[in-house]
Amino acid sequence: MDWVRMRKVFATAAVVASVAGLTACTEEQAYCVDLAGFAAAASEVDPTNAADYGTIVDDAKKIGATAPAEVKDDWQKVIAFAEKAKAANGNRVEMARLSQQTAGVTKAYKAIATHAKDACKVDVPNLN
């Protein structure tokens, strides 16, 4: 997964999650609501605009803070990677270095996506 794909994941997740219902959320209602809000905000993100991505990183931090224990560490991994990518500010050398560190981020994102579907009935896209 590269930097552009990571940014697109947040934007695409917004579109998919914004149409999903939250009726299946029970104990994790607050997280599910936050996830839907995150998705709605992310739908307005331009994945080619670094300033827009900065906003989505801040939103991801908020939802990560409310994440249930099952995915809290996964959110932190995704957020940490996104912050590094944001700090690289498009520097090609730094982005190439970061692209070598995506295996853990991809695994964490998949865990988040699985949990979102199971707990909140929110589908997020697969990473290809």
Side-chain angles (χ1 to χ4, degrees):
M1 176 173 61
D2 59 27
W3 166 245
V4 173
R5 192 176 313 159
M6 186 67 181
R7 293 185 341 194
K8 288 181 181 179
V9 164
F10 285 124
T12 305
V15 174
V16 175
S18 66
V19 298
L22 297 176
T23 58
C25 294
T26 56
E27 327 176 320
E28 299 170 349
Q29 185 69 37
Y31 173 73
C32 294
V33 170
D34 288 346
L35 182 61
F38 171 80
S43 68
E44 300 298 320
V45 170
D46 176 359
T48 63
N49 184 339
D52 281 4
Y53 193 67
T55 300
I56 205 64
V57 169
D58 293 340
D59 290 344
K61 287 179 185 179
K62 291 174 188 170
I63 192 170
T66 65
E70 299 93 322
V71 291
K72 190 170 263 317
D73 288 343
D74 296 311
W75 271 104
Q76 295 311 311
K77 288 175 187 173
V78 169
I79 292 164
F81 181 84
E83 286 179 320
K84 289 177 187 176
K86 178 183 168 187
N89 200 25
N91 178 297
R92 292 178 193 258
V93 173
E94 185 62 17
M95 295 309 295
R97 186 185 69 75
L98 287 173
S99 71
Q100 301 300 313
Q101 303 173 14
T102 60
V105 175
T106 300
K107 183 177 177 183
Y109 180 80
K110 287 180 180 179
I112 291 167
T114 298
H115 184 268
K117 182 173 183 128
D118 293 347
C120 300
K121 306 302 182 216
V122 173
D123 289 322
V124 294
N126 291 325
L127 299 177
N128 297 328

